[in-house]
């Protein structure tokens, strides 16, 4: 029972119904360990079909095929892959090296799927290549090798896992006679070392090297003659490589994934332009999602900062029915008394009545149009205003109707030279003298009182009694107690003032509710635009899937080769999934980078507010693009894994 191949009554049919043809007819023979057999026959006589059945790449329609002790008819695809990996080395007419891998990597490929440790792999590949006279070609890509050299690399690959049974289908068919002779010498030498060798050829010259010649004609064996005796006295049977050198299960899986990753990177680098174009949809999708979110956060933060600058927890009570009410100026019911009553309410921390009056401001020989705000001493705190020079006026100043004024930075810069001391200087507003006791810090705001107007602040008592002489005020600003809900306070004071005025001739502005409104509207907007961007991401994902599907078709040969050297369906699936994920992830990275670039350009063009990038948004974008890779890479990867190795190899 020392037979490596046993075939009994093998029949093989192709096609269905009327087009059904019988390619192999009742083929029965067996091959002993260590033999060198040539299968010869005309083109179309079924040699390759027979070889594929022996190589466990194809299955017979009927009959029994035993390879190295296993009945191939009873094995699953993965078990067949394992059998190929353990016992069989293929040599193809067209070498079938993977174009993106170096000679060493091509040679080592079978041992990746067999689970040999990385270091041993390279060592053994180098040793085999050196023995085959390719010691100086380790890092060469297939395109950098001659046909004979490529065929020797493929012989090294066949030996990588031991190569107990070497199947060579027309190994010299594509070579010039000298290289062909060289390859045959190599095969002969291998046979002398104990490898069983089956060579398929239509060339009697090639067949003459073998010990035994089996002739096929129209799928049937018509001759089987031994030309040399099988002398096994001094040869040992070749054993499969490395059950002992094999990695532990888990380590082996990790190693295979790492190899798949490396090969994916190489494949991507080998087709840079195509990879970039594949990524384009993802790049644009991710860049737009990240940019939109950054733009949204930037503008939202800016607006909220502006609102906070207006003061927190404050409610402004204005005359009229709302913004832009043209009759508001004629409403005279809002008074200091209202403010005082409000000040006594438990839910209110402080109150400041405000009057606003336009008028001419004169200093030295300068005349400017300015807005005089009559306010209480709490105004500055309520509005969170800060001082650049001097001080605010206090309670006593308000009681005493002191002729003090605090000017804003715009006014200061109009009236004084930079750095000049304004304190103690007297300005005239509507011809009434006011002494400057403070200068506000420069304020940046895009919301609220226009930053272009000149604002000066004096005690409301001074303004009402000394300058305008009116009894009514234009607004009241209240600061709500900390433990009170602003909305509650707003409701209560509205009821109180409505009762006092007998009707509601005022409206309130609650900074808190403005902030909430802004937050929710910009949030909604962000969601909406992100939704559109997500659609573009999905479109990008479909683009990736499309190109991956094409690439599976284009790379069926590669898939076939991987399967022939022992890759399982899982390995093929992983290979393509990893490529899809990698393309999407790198696309995502480019997208984020592009978005950051847009942010830089944006900040150069728009000084008002920056785009705000949050780490989680970027991480999420990358996670999202990887997920797209998995989702849209799945179908192409599954298609690749389910390819029949024989169909995959048949594709020219
Ligand atoms: N997948 C297939 N489907 C249909 N017919 C096939 C298939 N593979 C091979 N054949 C046919 O089987 C016959 C033998 O093919 P093959 O084994 O490749 O011959 P050889 O290698 O001896 O030239 C040919 O007539 C070929 O057309
Ligand atoms: Mg053939």
């Amino acid at each position: 029972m020392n037979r490596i191949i046993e075939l009994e009554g093998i029949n093989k049919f192709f096609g269905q119904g009327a087009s059904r043809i019988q390619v192999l007819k009742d083929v029965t023979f067996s091959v002993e360990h260590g033999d060198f057999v040539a299968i010869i026959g005309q083109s179309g006589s079924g040699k390759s079909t027979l070889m594929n059945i022996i190589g466990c790449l194809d299955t017979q329609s009927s009959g029994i095929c035993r390879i190295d002790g296993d009945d191939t008819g009873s094995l699953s695809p993965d078990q067949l892959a394992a059998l190929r990996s353990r016992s069989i080395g293929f040599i193809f007419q067209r070498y079938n090296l993977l174009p993106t891998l170096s000679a060493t990597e091509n040679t080592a490929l079978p041992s990746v799927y067999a689970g040999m440790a990385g270091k041993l792999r390279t060592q053994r590949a180098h040793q085999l290549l050196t023995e085959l006279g390719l010691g100086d070609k380790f890092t060469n890509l297939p395109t950098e090798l001659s046909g004979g050299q490529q065929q020797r690399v493929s012989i090294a690959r066949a030996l990588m896992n031991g190569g107990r049974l070497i199947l060579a289908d027309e190994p010299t068919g594509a070579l010039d006679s000298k290289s062909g002779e060289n390859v045959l010498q190599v095969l002969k030498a291998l046979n002398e070392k104990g490898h069983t060798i089956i060579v398929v050829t239509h060339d009697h010259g090639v067949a003459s090297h073998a010990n035994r010649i089996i002739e096929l004609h129209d799928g049937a064996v018509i001759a089987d003659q031994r030309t040399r005796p099988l002398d096994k006295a001094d040869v040992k049977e070749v054993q499969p490589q490395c059950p002992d050198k094999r990695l532990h299960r888990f380590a082996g899986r990790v190693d295979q994934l790492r190899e798949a990753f490396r090969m994916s990177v190489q494949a991507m680098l080998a087709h840079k332009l195509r990879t970039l174009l594949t990524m384009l949809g993802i790049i644009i999708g991710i860049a737009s999602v990240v940019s939109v979110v950054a733009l949204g956060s930037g503008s939202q933060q800016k607006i909220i900062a502006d609102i906070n600058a207006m003061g927190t927890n404050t409610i402004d009570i204005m005359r009229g029915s709302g913004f832009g009410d043209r009759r508001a100026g004629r409403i005279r019911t809002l008074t200091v008394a209202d403010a005082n009553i409000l000040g006594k309410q438990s839910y209110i921390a402080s109150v400041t009545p405000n009057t606003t009056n336009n008028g001419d401001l004169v200093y030295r020989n300068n005349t400017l149009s300015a807005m005089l705000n009559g306010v209480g001493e709490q105004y500055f705190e309520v509005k969170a205003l800060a001082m650049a020079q001097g001080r605010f006026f206090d309670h006593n100043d308000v009681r005493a109707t002191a002729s003090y004024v605090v000017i804003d930075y715009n006014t200061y810069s109009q009236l004084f030279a930079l750095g000049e001391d304004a304190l103690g200087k007297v300005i005239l507003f509507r011809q009434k003298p006011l002494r400057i006791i403070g200068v506000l810090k420069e304020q940046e705001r895009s919301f609220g009182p226009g930053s272009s107007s000149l604002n000066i602040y004096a005690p409301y008592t001074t303004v009402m009694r000394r300058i305008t002489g009116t009894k009514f005020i234009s607004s009241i600003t209240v600061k709500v107690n900390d433990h009170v809900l602003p909305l509650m306070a707003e409701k209560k004071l509205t009821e109180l003032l409505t009762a006092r005025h007998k009707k509601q001739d005022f409206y309130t502005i609650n900074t808190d509710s403005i902030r909430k409104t802004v937050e929710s509207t910009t949030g909604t907007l962000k969601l909406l635009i992100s939704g559109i961007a997500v659609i573009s991401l999905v479109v990008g994902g479909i683009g990736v899937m499309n190109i991956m599907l094409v690439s599976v078709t284009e790379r069926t040969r590669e898939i076939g080769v991987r399967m022939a050297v022992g890759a399982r369906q899982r390995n093929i699936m992983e290979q393509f999934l990893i490529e899809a994920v990698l393309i999407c992830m790198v696309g995502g990275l480019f997208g984020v980078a592009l978005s950051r670039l847009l942010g830089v350009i944006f900040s150069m063009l728009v000084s008002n507010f920056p785009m705000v990038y949050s780490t989680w948004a970027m991480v999420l974008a990358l996670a999202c693009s990887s997920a797209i890779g998995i989702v849209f890479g799945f179908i192409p990867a599954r298609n690749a894994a389910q390819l029949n190795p024989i169909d995959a190899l048949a594709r020219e």
Side-chain angles (χ1 to χ4, degrees):
M1 271 306 290
N2 202 9
R3 290 168 178 169
I4 194 160
I5 302 172
E6 285 180 87
L7 303 177
E8 280 176 44
I10 298 285
N11 288 297
K12 178 70 182 178
F13 299 91
F14 282 119
Q16 302 283 327
S19 62
R20 186 167 133 120
I21 49 165
Q22 184 165 13
V23 176
L24 292 178
K25 293 169 191 156
D26 199 23
V27 175
T28 302
F29 66 85
S30 47
V31 175
E32 288 184 60
H33 270 293
D35 210 345
F36 187 164
V37 179
I39 297 175
I40 192 162
Q42 287 168 348
S43 176
S45 56
K47 306 182 297 291
S48 295
T49 307
L50 179 60
M51 198 66 139
N52 290 333
I53 290 173
I54 295 173
C56 312
L57 291 169
D58 202 357
T59 47
Q60 63 276 21
S61 306
S62 67
I64 295 173
C65 171
R66 249 182 246 106
I67 303 297
D68 215 8
D70 286 325
D71 181 354
T72 58
S74 64
L75 299 183
S76 69
D78 275 0
Q79 286 170 320
L80 288 173
L83 175 58
R84 284 196 294 271
S85 171
R86 183 184 78 218
S87 304
I88 301 172
F90 289 94
I91 298 169
F92 303 95
Q93 179 174 0
R94 296 238 157 244
Y95 333 125
N96 281 347
L97 301 178
L98 300 194
T100 56
L101 302 188
S102 70
T104 307
E105 289 165 332
N106 263 300
T107 305
L109 192 61
S111 61
V112 172
Y113 296 124
M116 193 194 271
K119 232 182 159 158
L120 291 174
R121 271 202 310 261
T122 315
Q123 252 173 33
R124 180 164 167 80
H126 283 172
Q127 184 198 335
L128 287 168
L129 286 172
T130 310
E131 282 169 15
L132 289 166
L134 296 169
D136 54 343
K137 307 282 187 210
F138 291 163
T139 56
N140 289 40
L141 292 176
T143 46
E144 298 160 351
L145 297 170
S146 73
Q149 288 168 334
Q150 288 188 59
Q151 194 60 301
R152 275 181 281 153
V153 173
S154 91
I155 294 173
R157 180 176 65 187
L159 295 170
M160 191 65 200
N161 282 348
R164 270 156 82 74
L165 175 58
I166 289 179
L167 304 179
D169 192 345
E170 306 271 13
T172 60
L175 298 176
D176 59 87
S177 58
K178 191 160 160 272
S179 310
E181 192 57 34
N182 175 289
V183 165
L184 285 170
Q185 290 310 321
V186 170
L187 291 179
K188 230 177 146 113
L190 288 174
N191 177 241
E192 273 155 25
K193 282 203 225 156
H195 296 270
T196 310
I197 297 190
I198 315 286
V199 174
V200 157
T201 180
H202 62 274
D203 180 344
H204 285 275
V206 172
S208 67
H209 289 82
N211 301 336
R212 176 182 171 192
I213 301 175
I214 296 174
E215 189 166 354
L216 275 188
H217 184 75
D218 283 347
V221 177
I222 55 164
D224 183 351
Q225 81 189 113
R226 180 162 292 285
T227 50
R228 272 179 219 99
L230 177 58
D231 178 15
K232 301 185 47 170
D234 54 342
V235 260
K236 277 200 318 220
E237 209 175 277
V238 177
Q239 291 306 322
Q241 271 289 313
C242 82
D244 52 323
K245 292 175 192 159
R246 227 170 260 194
L247 288 165
H248 183 265
R249 255 184 92 103
F250 178 70
R253 298 289 299 130
V254 171
D255 181 70
Q256 279 174 10
L257 287 177
R258 201 176 46 218
E259 281 302 310
F261 178 82
R262 216 170 47 79
M263 288 189 277
S264 299
V265 172
Q266 281 172 339
M268 281 169 62
L269 290 179
H271 305 281
K272 291 192 193 70
L273 183 65
R274 187 174 72 185
T275 310
L276 193 71
L277 290 176
T278 310
M279 288 174 184
L280 209 57
I282 300 290
I283 295 177
I284 293 171
I286 291 287
S288 46
V289 174
V290 173
S291 301
V292 163
V293 172
L295 211 58
S297 316
S299 59
Q300 190 179 31
Q301 281 187 15
K302 166 69 178 160
I303 293 170
I304 287 180
D306 287 349
I307 293 170
N308 285 342
M310 286 169 64
T312 49
N313 266 358
T314 65
I315 300 171
D316 285 305
I317 302 157
M318 318 287 288
R319 294 176 294 172
S321 56
F323 284 111
D325 184 347
R326 280 165 51 205
R327 283 168 311 172
R330 277 177 268 135
I331 293 171
R332 306 188 159 184
T333 46
L334 206 61
T335 60
V336 174
D338 286 337
N340 290 341
I341 296 269
L342 285 176
K344 297 202 176 85
Q345 305 304 311
S346 61
Y347 51 90
I348 284 170
S350 62
V351 178
T352 159
N354 312 314
T355 68
T356 52
N357 293 284
N358 279 312
D360 284 344
L361 183 164
V362 179
Y363 177 68
R364 288 189 195 141
N365 48 6
N366 262 342
T367 303
L368 301 168
S369 170
M371 173 76 85
L372 174 65
N373 298 274
V375 296
E377 72 276 8
Q378 288 154 335
Y379 182 84
F380 303 99
E381 185 211 329
V382 168
K383 291 289 184 185
L385 296 174
M387 270 305 179
Q389 294 176 23
R391 65 176 182 91
F392 302 122
F393 40 83
D394 58 20
H395 186 59
N396 291 334
D397 297 331
V398 175
R399 279 238 314 248
T401 64
S403 290
Y404 289 159
V405 68
V406 171
I407 62 175
D408 71 355
Y409 191 83
N410 287 345
T411 313
Y412 171 79
S413 57
Q414 290 289 319
L415 298 182
F416 300 94
L418 197 68
E420 192 182 341
D421 188 6
L423 301 183
K425 305 280 161 47
V426 174
I427 58 171
L428 292 177
F429 186 86
R430 293 194 184 175
Q431 276 119 41
K432 302 285 181 344
L434 293 166
R435 184 178 299 278
I436 298 173
I437 61 165
V439 179
L440 293 180
K441 272 204 179 129
E442 187 170 13
Q443 272 203 310
E444 239 190 77
R445 50 167 63 172
S446 60
F447 196 86
S451 55
S452 55
S453 63
L454 305 181
N455 278 286
I456 62 176
Y457 303 85
Y460 68 92
T461 48
T462 312
V463 174
M464 292 169 79
R465 286 179 210 158
R466 296 189 179 215
I467 299 179
T468 62
T470 51
K471 292 267 184 304
F472 53 89
I473 54 180
S474 45
S475 71
I476 301 173
T477 302
V478 303
K479 186 173 165 77
V480 179
N481 256 329
D482 275 345
H483 57 273
V484 179
L485 286 177
L487 277 179
M488 277 300 294
E490 195 174 0
K491 191 161 163 266
K492 281 189 176 167
L493 69 81
T494 304
E495 278 165 12
L496 183 75
L497 285 184
T498 309
R500 275 178 62 84
H501 294 183
K502 311 272 190 316
K503 61 174 178 182
Q504 192 178 340
D505 53 2
F506 59 92
Y507 65 97
T508 53
I509 304 171
N510 176 346
T511 52
D512 217 50
S513 57
I514 294 177
R515 178 169 39 232
K516 289 215 175 76
T517 313
V518 167
E519 268 169 9
S520 81
T521 48
T522 56
T524 313
L525 211 64
K526 218 156 49 169
L527 212 65
L528 193 79
I529 304 179
S530 297
I532 296 168
V534 164
I535 292 173
S536 77
L537 264 185
V538 170
V539 172
I542 293 172
V544 170
M545 176 160 74
N546 187 25
I547 300 208
M548 291 292 296
L549 280 171
V550 172
S551 135
V552 168
T553 320
E554 188 184 89
R555 287 163 65 188
T556 38
R557 261 189 108 62
E558 171 197 329
I559 296 162
V561 172
R562 286 179 190 276
M563 286 176 164
V565 302
R568 291 160 192 233
Q569 293 188 334
R570 196 177 55 196
N571 297 121
I572 303 292
M573 175 112 187
E574 280 163 8
Q575 185 74 49
F576 277 81
L577 258 190
I578 286 176
E579 280 193 37
V581 172
L582 209 61
I583 284 177
C584 291
M585 249 174 73
V586 174
L589 272 177
F590 281 175
V592 169
L594 180 65
S595 172
R596 298 304 297 251
L597 189 73
L598 288 177
V600 172
I601 295 171
F602 182 82
S603 69
M604 289 194 293
L605 298 180
V606 181
S607 59
N608 207 7
F609 67 93
M611 286 164 78
V612 176
Y613 295 90
S614 68
T615 315
W616 74 260
M618 291 190 286
V619 169
L620 206 70
L622 287 185
C624 188
S625 58
S626 313
I628 288 170
I630 294 176
V631 170
F632 290 101
F634 180 78
I635 294 176
R638 200 197 48 192
N639 284 1
Q642 287 180 347
L643 274 182
N644 185 348
I646 188 63
D647 293 340
L649 276 172
R651 223 63 77 87
E652 282 291 345

